[in-house]
Amino acid sequence: MVSLNLDTIADSLRHHSTLLPLAAASGVALIGFTVALRASPPNGNHPQPIPSPRATLLPGLSEAEVHDLPYPPDVLPGARDVTSPYGTMRVYEWGPEEGRKVLLVHGITTPCIALDLWGRGYSDTPDSLPHDIRLYTTSILLALTSSALPWTGSSNSFSLIGYSLGGSIAATFTSCFPNLVSSLVLLAPAGLIRTKNLSPTNKFLYSSSLVPEAFLEWFIRRRLRGGPTNATAVKPEDEEKKSNAETVVSAELPNSFDGAVLSRTRPDITATSAVSWQIGRHQGFIKSYISSVRYGPISDQHEDWRPIGARLAAQNATTTQSVESSGLQNGKVLIICGRDDPIVIMDELIADASEVLGQNNVKFEFCDCGHELPATKGEEIVRFIGDFWR
């Protein structure tokens, strides 16, 4: 089994003659693919963000204890902490300065190198703000503008890769900032998930004012601590077993994923142990989890994706160099998904993405796996991306 980790991406893409300066943050996200009615944003007078383990845990540990953490702060190279009005966000950036610039945005857990969303890893939790596409977009912009390298500007653009929820974030970001993104790759993306496939129970839990917030936090923490591999992924056509938090956790962390490592340089650090550590040690994680479920771009984001299709249609309909040079590479979006994904259903994704982006504006690739494809099909995914970028 090959995990799509730091080393796999860097090594494999170099074989495709691609150099990667990567801006990323390695938080562990655990965002259930559920849909809730839009509740009112949290009230309050801009309270201080909930600090991450960077502030609450690391100062009291020895160097050896930090090294032995299930998710140490140096698991990825090029770390920096970005201070903002929302709190401090952890960003990692590495690679040759002259190479292709690539930004990655994670999904539920940590099977790939990822942008560290608020409330994950060593990033704080801005508890007073809904964790919606506005906050996620700010995360990306903070990562870009805090770099010493020029990621934005008239002559600069970058490739954007998003997995799972990160795929929806990446797509909407591309719609809003088309001139910044030169290539868009989506791995089992959320965003176009149909609400009929989602659990009525979770809709009630996350949207109902009848459920006290303290109880909901206790309930979610208890369920997640039960262990991601204890859940059973099911097909959404089973009306009583539609996708919920446990289904999604299982889909991204199957039993075979227990041994998937985050980096070959630290084979003792697995994604499963990192997830468990985060649930217990990040004081803001559960709050970020709940807010992401309520407000995140998980389903029915078709209208937010349509500007990408319009951009590609204009690009592919002209031979004007200025239009082609400002468009997406190859005039297409690359989407990679698992044939047996119980969350992002392959046939529905093909139909909806083709309708939204345009049938001739998207290239699909498929892996024989479920939603955990970055964990089990790392080399295959890297090969798809490398070929697409040639």
Side-chain angles (χ1 to χ4, degrees):
M1 184 197 318
V2 178
S3 176
L4 185 57
N5 56 31
L6 162 63
D7 312 288
T8 304
I9 291 179
D11 293 347
S12 300
L13 288 180
R14 283 196 187 97
H15 294 161
H16 289 275
S17 301
T18 304
L19 299 177
L20 297 184
L22 296 177
S26 67
V28 184
L30 205 64
I31 305 167
F33 278 154
T34 54
V35 159
L37 299 176
R38 300 301 181 183
S40 300
N43 295 323
N45 297 318
H46 305 292
Q48 292 297 311
I50 300 173
S52 76
R54 177 189 60 83
T56 62
L57 178 65
L58 297 185
L61 301 180
S62 67
E63 184 176 340
E65 289 172 328
V66 170
H67 179 272
D68 291 339
L69 286 174
Y71 188 70
D74 61 351
V75 66
L76 296 177
R80 66 174 181 268
D81 293 311
V82 181
T83 302
S84 78
Y86 306 105
T88 299
M89 185 181 78
R90 173 61 60 92
V91 175
Y92 297 84
E93 185 172 7
W94 65 91
E97 294 185 6
E98 69 277 8
R100 175 191 287 266
K101 295 183 175 70
V102 182
L103 182 76
L104 299 102
V105 187
H106 67 64
I108 294 175
T109 52
T110 55
C112 66
I113 309 167
L115 181 69
D116 194 359
L117 303 178
W118 300 108
R120 286 85 177 177
Y122 291 98
S123 290
D124 296 342
T125 299
D127 186 36
S128 61
L129 298 174
H131 286 46
D132 58 13
I133 189 59
R134 296 170 296 179
L135 190 62
Y136 293 138
T137 298
T138 301
S139 299
I140 295 177
L141 294 175
L142 285 171
L144 299 177
T145 56
S146 64
S147 173
L149 298 180
W151 285 72
T152 63
S154 58
S155 60
N156 295 292
S157 59
F158 58 90
S159 300
L160 186 55
I161 302 176
Y163 166 55
S164 197
L165 174 68
S168 181
I169 295 170
T172 302
F173 183 90
T174 302
S175 291
C176 295
F177 302 96
N179 293 331
L180 294 183
V181 180
S182 60
S183 180
L184 179 61
V185 178
L186 307 177
L187 311 179
L192 302 183
I193 296 176
R194 300 177 182 179
T195 54
K196 69 179 180 64
N197 293 334
L198 299 167
S199 165
T201 300
N202 273 33
K203 290 180 184 180
F204 172 80
L205 282 175
Y206 290 101
S207 64
S208 175
S209 59
L210 300 177
V211 180
E213 199 74 5
F215 173 80
L216 181 59
E217 291 179 17
W218 172 85
F219 177 79
I220 296 301
R221 187 182 300 276
R222 179 174 178 271
R223 295 301 291 266
L224 295 182
R225 276 180 168 168
T229 60
N230 292 334
T232 302
V234 295
K235 293 294 184 180
E237 57 263 25
D238 186 334
E239 187 66 27
E240 295 184 355
K241 295 184 179 180
K242 292 185 176 182
S243 299
N244 54 31
E246 293 76 50
T247 303
V248 178
V249 172
S250 177
E252 287 204 12
L253 287 181
N255 292 327
S256 61
F257 186 55
D258 284 344
V261 300
L262 299 185
S263 173
R264 286 201 301 263
T265 61
R266 293 291 304 273
D268 56 311
I269 302 173
T270 67
T272 300
S273 62
V275 169
S276 298
W277 173 82
Q278 178 174 249
I279 293 171
R281 290 295 187 175
H282 198 308
Q283 297 177 3
F285 172 74
I286 296 298
K287 291 181 180 293
S288 289
Y289 176 98
I290 293 172
S291 186
S292 297
V293 169
R294 284 176 171 159
Y295 305 110
I298 293 172
S299 67
D300 294 335
Q301 300 296 303
H302 298 64
E303 295 307 314
D304 287 342
W305 288 36
R306 290 191 190 280
I308 303 174
R311 174 190 182 188
L312 290 171
Q315 175 184 344
N316 294 326
T318 183
T319 57
T320 304
Q321 186 174 359
S322 60
V323 175
E324 291 181 338
S325 62
S326 64
L328 294 176
Q329 185 171 349
N330 299 322
K332 293 180 183 292
V333 173
L334 175 62
I335 298 180
I336 306 172
C337 66
R339 290 187 174 90
D340 300 317
D341 193 327
I343 307 301
V344 181
I345 310 301
M346 183 182 69
D347 291 342
E348 295 180 355
L349 176 63
I350 294 172
D352 292 345
S354 297
E355 189 274 325
V356 170
L357 300 175
Q359 187 172 1
N360 297 324
N361 301 330
V362 58
K363 177 178 177 60
F364 292 99
E365 298 286 3
F366 308 101
C367 301
D368 291 324
C369 61
H371 196 66
E372 80 290 349
L373 70 167
T376 58
K377 300 295 181 179
E379 287 189 351
E380 189 173 350
I381 290 172
V382 169
R383 185 169 63 252
F384 287 146
I385 296 174
D387 291 343
F388 184 70
W389 281 348
R390 284 180 179 173

mmCIF file of all heavy atoms in Angstrom, residues 358-380:
data_model
loop_
_atom_site.group_PDB
_atom_site.id
_atom_site.type_symbol
_atom_site.label_atom_id
_atom_site.label_comp_id
_atom_site.label_asym_id
_atom_site.label_seq_id
_atom_site.Cartn_x
_atom_site.Cartn_y
_atom_site.Cartn_z
ATOM 1 N N GLY A 358 -19.057 21.336 -17.764
ATOM 2 C CA GLY A 358 -19.055 21.117 -19.203
ATOM 3 C C GLY A 358 -18.382 19.796 -19.505
ATOM 4 O O GLY A 358 -17.274 19.528 -19.044
ATOM 5 N N GLN A 359 -19.038 18.979 -20.297
ATOM 6 C CA GLN A 359 -18.546 17.622 -20.540
ATOM 7 C C GLN A 359 -17.151 17.595 -21.129
ATOM 8 O O GLN A 359 -16.354 16.697 -20.828
ATOM 9 C CB GLN A 359 -19.527 16.888 -21.465
ATOM 10 C CG GLN A 359 -19.216 15.416 -21.661
ATOM 11 C CD GLN A 359 -20.311 14.691 -22.408
ATOM 12 O OE1 GLN A 359 -21.308 15.289 -22.804
ATOM 13 N NE2 GLN A 359 -20.134 13.396 -22.606
ATOM 14 N N ASN A 360 -16.821 18.569 -21.953
ATOM 15 C CA ASN A 360 -15.515 18.609 -22.598
ATOM 16 C C ASN A 360 -14.469 19.356 -21.779
ATOM 17 O O ASN A 360 -13.327 19.505 -22.220
ATOM 18 C CB ASN A 360 -15.631 19.250 -23.982
ATOM 19 C CG ASN A 360 -16.517 18.450 -24.922
ATOM 20 O OD1 ASN A 360 -16.521 17.222 -24.884
ATOM 21 N ND2 ASN A 360 -17.279 19.151 -25.762
ATOM 22 N N ASN A 361 -14.874 19.824 -20.608
ATOM 23 C CA ASN A 361 -13.963 20.643 -19.795
ATOM 24 C C ASN A 361 -13.445 19.911 -18.559
ATOM 25 O O ASN A 361 -12.807 20.525 -17.703
ATOM 26 C CB ASN A 361 -14.677 21.920 -19.338
ATOM 27 C CG ASN A 361 -15.166 22.748 -20.498
ATOM 28 O OD1 ASN A 361 -14.576 22.740 -21.582
ATOM 29 N ND2 ASN A 361 -16.259 23.468 -20.291
ATOM 30 N N VAL A 362 -13.722 18.614 -18.477
ATOM 31 C CA VAL A 362 -13.290 17.856 -17.307
ATOM 32 C C VAL A 362 -12.724 16.511 -17.747
ATOM 33 O O VAL A 362 -13.229 15.889 -18.690
ATOM 34 C CB VAL A 362 -14.470 17.656 -16.315
ATOM 35 C CG1 VAL A 362 -15.629 16.945 -16.982
ATOM 36 C CG2 VAL A 362 -14.017 16.914 -15.080
ATOM 37 N N LYS A 363 -11.665 16.101 -17.108
ATOM 38 C CA LYS A 363 -11.058 14.799 -17.370
ATOM 39 C C LYS A 363 -11.200 13.946 -16.110
ATOM 40 O O LYS A 363 -10.805 14.367 -15.018
ATOM 41 C CB LYS A 363 -9.580 14.941 -17.734
ATOM 42 C CG LYS A 363 -8.848 13.614 -17.966
ATOM 43 C CD LYS A 363 -7.413 13.838 -18.365
ATOM 44 C CE LYS A 363 -6.657 12.513 -18.528
ATOM 45 N NZ LYS A 363 -7.262 11.656 -19.561
ATOM 46 N N PHE A 364 -11.770 12.761 -16.238
ATOM 47 C CA PHE A 364 -11.960 11.858 -15.105
ATOM 48 C C PHE A 364 -10.941 10.730 -15.143
ATOM 49 O O PHE A 364 -10.625 10.198 -16.208
ATOM 50 C CB PHE A 364 -13.370 11.254 -15.126
ATOM 51 C CG PHE A 364 -14.474 12.239 -14.867
ATOM 52 C CD1 PHE A 364 -15.198 12.780 -15.917
ATOM 53 C CD2 PHE A 364 -14.783 12.626 -13.575
ATOM 54 C CE1 PHE A 364 -16.228 13.679 -15.688
ATOM 55 C CE2 PHE A 364 -15.808 13.528 -13.334
ATOM 56 C CZ PHE A 364 -16.529 14.066 -14.400
ATOM 57 N N GLU A 365 -10.447 10.392 -13.976
ATOM 58 C CA GLU A 365 -9.632 9.203 -13.793
ATOM 59 C C GLU A 365 -10.194 8.437 -12.605
ATOM 60 O O GLU A 365 -10.736 9.041 -11.668
ATOM 61 C CB GLU A 365 -8.163 9.557 -13.532
ATOM 62 C CG GLU A 365 -7.474 10.299 -14.666
ATOM 63 C CD GLU A 365 -7.144 9.402 -15.857
ATOM 64 O OE1 GLU A 365 -7.499 8.199 -15.823
ATOM 65 O OE2 GLU A 365 -6.537 9.898 -16.822
ATOM 66 N N PHE A 366 -10.072 7.116 -12.625
ATOM 67 C CA PHE A 366 -10.709 6.298 -11.603
ATOM 68 C C PHE A 366 -9.727 5.303 -10.998
ATOM 69 O O PHE A 366 -8.843 4.795 -11.680
ATOM 70 C CB PHE A 366 -11.905 5.550 -12.195
ATOM 71 C CG PHE A 366 -12.863 6.443 -12.924
ATOM 72 C CD1 PHE A 366 -12.846 6.510 -14.307
ATOM 73 C CD2 PHE A 366 -13.763 7.236 -12.224
ATOM 74 C CE1 PHE A 366 -13.724 7.350 -14.986
ATOM 75 C CE2 PHE A 366 -14.641 8.070 -12.895
ATOM 76 C CZ PHE A 366 -14.617 8.128 -14.275
ATOM 77 N N CYS A 367 -9.900 5.044 -9.712
ATOM 78 C CA CYS A 367 -9.096 4.064 -8.980
ATOM 79 C C CYS A 367 -10.019 2.996 -8.419
ATOM 80 O O CYS A 367 -11.171 3.268 -8.076
ATOM 81 C CB CYS A 367 -8.338 4.736 -7.835
ATOM 82 S SG CYS A 367 -7.214 6.063 -8.313
ATOM 83 N N ASP A 368 -9.513 1.800 -8.298
ATOM 84 C CA ASP A 368 -10.286 0.703 -7.715
ATOM 85 C C ASP A 368 -10.178 0.769 -6.195
ATOM 86 O O ASP A 368 -9.392 0.055 -5.564
ATOM 87 C CB ASP A 368 -9.779 -0.642 -8.240
ATOM 88 C CG ASP A 368 -10.089 -0.839 -9.714
ATOM 89 O OD1 ASP A 368 -11.165 -0.393 -10.159
ATOM 90 O OD2 ASP A 368 -9.255 -1.429 -10.424
ATOM 91 N N CYS A 369 -10.978 1.653 -5.600
ATOM 92 C CA CYS A 369 -10.936 1.865 -4.156
ATOM 93 C C CYS A 369 -12.158 2.672 -3.745
ATOM 94 O O CYS A 369 -13.026 2.967 -4.568
ATOM 95 C CB CYS A 369 -9.653 2.611 -3.765
ATOM 96 S SG CYS A 369 -9.519 4.251 -4.507
ATOM 97 N N GLY A 370 -12.215 3.036 -2.465
ATOM 98 C CA GLY A 370 -13.292 3.859 -1.957
ATOM 99 C C GLY A 370 -12.858 5.294 -1.789
ATOM 100 O O GLY A 370 -12.036 5.815 -2.554
ATOM 101 N N HIS A 371 -13.383 5.938 -0.751
ATOM 102 C CA HIS A 371 -13.087 7.356 -0.521
ATOM 103 C C HIS A 371 -11.677 7.581 0.015
ATOM 104 O O HIS A 371 -11.179 8.701 0.003
ATOM 105 C CB HIS A 371 -14.111 7.930 0.463
ATOM 106 C CG HIS A 371 -14.147 9.429 0.477
ATOM 107 N ND1 HIS A 371 -14.561 10.174 -0.604
ATOM 108 C CD2 HIS A 371 -13.810 10.331 1.442
ATOM 109 C CE1 HIS A 371 -14.489 11.462 -0.308
ATOM 110 N NE2 HIS A 371 -14.027 11.582 0.927
ATOM 111 N N GLU A 372 -11.036 6.524 0.457
ATOM 112 C CA GLU A 372 -9.700 6.639 1.047
ATOM 113 C C GLU A 372 -8.608 6.626 -0.007
ATOM 114 O O GLU A 372 -7.435 6.368 0.297
ATOM 115 C CB GLU A 372 -9.488 5.478 2.032
ATOM 116 C CG GLU A 372 -9.104 4.144 1.415
ATOM 117 C CD GLU A 372 -10.191 3.448 0.622
ATOM 118 O OE1 GLU A 372 -11.362 3.882 0.703
ATOM 119 O OE2 GLU A 372 -9.880 2.467 -0.073
ATOM 120 N N LEU A 373 -8.903 6.942 -1.253
ATOM 121 C CA LEU A 373 -7.967 6.746 -2.356
ATOM 122 C C LEU A 373 -6.571 7.344 -2.148
ATOM 123 O O LEU A 373 -5.590 6.736 -2.582
ATOM 124 C CB LEU A 373 -8.568 7.238 -3.677
ATOM 125 C CG LEU A 373 -8.776 8.724 -3.931
ATOM 126 C CD1 LEU A 373 -9.064 8.947 -5.421
ATOM 127 C CD2 LEU A 373 -9.924 9.290 -3.141
ATOM 128 N N PRO A 374 -6.381 8.505 -1.492
ATOM 129 C CA PRO A 374 -5.008 8.960 -1.308
ATOM 130 C C PRO A 374 -4.180 8.036 -0.432
ATOM 131 O O PRO A 374 -2.956 7.993 -0.546
ATOM 132 C CB PRO A 374 -5.165 10.336 -0.648
ATOM 133 C CG PRO A 374 -6.544 10.770 -0.995
ATOM 134 C CD PRO A 374 -7.342 9.519 -0.997
ATOM 135 N N ALA A 375 -4.844 7.280 0.449
ATOM 136 C CA ALA A 375 -4.118 6.391 1.354
ATOM 137 C C ALA A 375 -3.707 5.107 0.663
ATOM 138 O O ALA A 375 -2.641 4.555 0.947
ATOM 139 C CB ALA A 375 -4.980 6.075 2.568
ATOM 140 N N THR A 376 -4.540 4.611 -0.225
ATOM 141 C CA THR A 376 -4.290 3.304 -0.823
ATOM 142 C C THR A 376 -3.813 3.362 -2.264
ATOM 143 O O THR A 376 -3.303 2.365 -2.784
ATOM 144 C CB THR A 376 -5.564 2.453 -0.758
ATOM 145 O OG1 THR A 376 -6.633 3.138 -1.445
ATOM 146 C CG2 THR A 376 -5.988 2.227 0.690
ATOM 147 N N LYS A 377 -3.982 4.497 -2.932
ATOM 148 C CA LYS A 377 -3.635 4.603 -4.352
ATOM 149 C C LYS A 377 -2.730 5.805 -4.619
ATOM 150 O O LYS A 377 -2.874 6.498 -5.627
ATOM 151 C CB LYS A 377 -4.916 4.717 -5.194
ATOM 152 C CG LYS A 377 -5.870 3.539 -5.057
ATOM 153 C CD LYS A 377 -5.244 2.258 -5.601
ATOM 154 C CE LYS A 377 -6.218 1.094 -5.481
ATOM 155 N NZ LYS A 377 -5.646 -0.164 -6.022
ATOM 156 N N GLY A 378 -1.784 6.047 -3.705
ATOM 157 C CA GLY A 378 -0.942 7.233 -3.813
ATOM 158 C C GLY A 378 -0.163 7.328 -5.110
ATOM 159 O O GLY A 378 -0.201 8.351 -5.796
ATOM 160 N N GLU A 379 0.549 6.272 -5.476
ATOM 161 C CA GLU A 379 1.373 6.327 -6.683
ATOM 162 C C GLU A 379 0.514 6.465 -7.936
ATOM 163 O O GLU A 379 0.883 7.153 -8.890
ATOM 164 C CB GLU A 379 2.260 5.093 -6.766
ATOM 165 C CG GLU A 379 3.412 5.114 -5.766
ATOM 166 C CD GLU A 379 4.405 3.999 -6.016
ATOM 167 O OE1 GLU A 379 4.118 3.113 -6.861
ATOM 168 O OE2 GLU A 379 5.473 4.005 -5.368
ATOM 169 N N GLU A 380 -0.632 5.796 -7.944
ATOM 170 C CA GLU A 380 -1.533 5.888 -9.095
ATOM 171 C C GLU A 380 -2.053 7.310 -9.266
ATOM 172 O O GLU A 380 -2.105 7.837 -10.392
ATOM 173 C CB GLU A 380 -2.691 4.906 -8.916
ATOM 174 C CG GLU A 380 -3.573 4.745 -10.132
ATOM 175 C CD GLU A 380 -4.595 3.640 -9.960
ATOM 176 O OE1 GLU A 380 -4.490 2.867 -8.976
ATOM 177 O OE2 GLU A 380 -5.509 3.555 -10.797
#
